[in-house]
Amino acid sequence: MALAVAMTMDAASAYGDMSLLMSTDTDFRPAIEASLRLAPARPVMIACPPGRVGPKHDFLGQVLSFAIPEKHLQASLLPETVPGPDGRIYQRPEKWSG
């Protein structure tokens, strides 16, 4: 909810040049529609996680989508362990180890 509100507020206040949504969750459709109404010339782009497709909704060509390559996600993983400021060691979850 907070992300959808922020996206709409950014469009309303002309904050930034575009909106980039990194999700294919259909719950964001109202925020995309509101952003397009508030700032029709402001691009909206959707970055789709691997294996997911872009919006199935008809946005009249105003929304562009693209796939995030798996290799880019792999390259952006945090290290296996990260030391915290208190000296505690944080372990990357196993499911994120790719």
Side-chain angles (χ1 to χ4, degrees), residues 5-80:
V5 170
M7 181 177 172
T8 306
M9 291 296 296
D10 287 350
S13 63
Y15 182 75
D17 297 332
M18 63 177 288
S19 291
L20 174 61
L21 178 62
M22 297 179 80
S23 172
T24 54
D25 191 334
T26 57
D27 290 347
F28 286 105
R29 181 180 179 167
I32 294 169
E33 291 171 341
S35 295
L36 293 171
R37 277 194 309 276
L38 291 165
R42 188 172 190 262
V44 175
M45 298 186 74
I46 299 176
C48 306
R52 302 291 302 267
V53 295
K56 294 179 177 81
H57 310 295
D58 182 15
F59 291 110
L60 302 175
Q62 293 177 287
V63 176
L64 302 173
S65 63
F66 62 94
I68 303 169
E70 181 73 36
K71 66 181 181 178
H72 291 171
L73 292 178
Q74 291 294 326
S76 67
L77 286 174
L78 290 172
E80 290 283 334

Side-chain angles (χ1 to χ4, degrees), residues 79-93:
E80 290 283 334
T81 59
V82 176
D86 58 357
R88 183 174 172 198
I89 302 296
Y90 294 90
Q91 185 79 25
R92 180 174 62 197

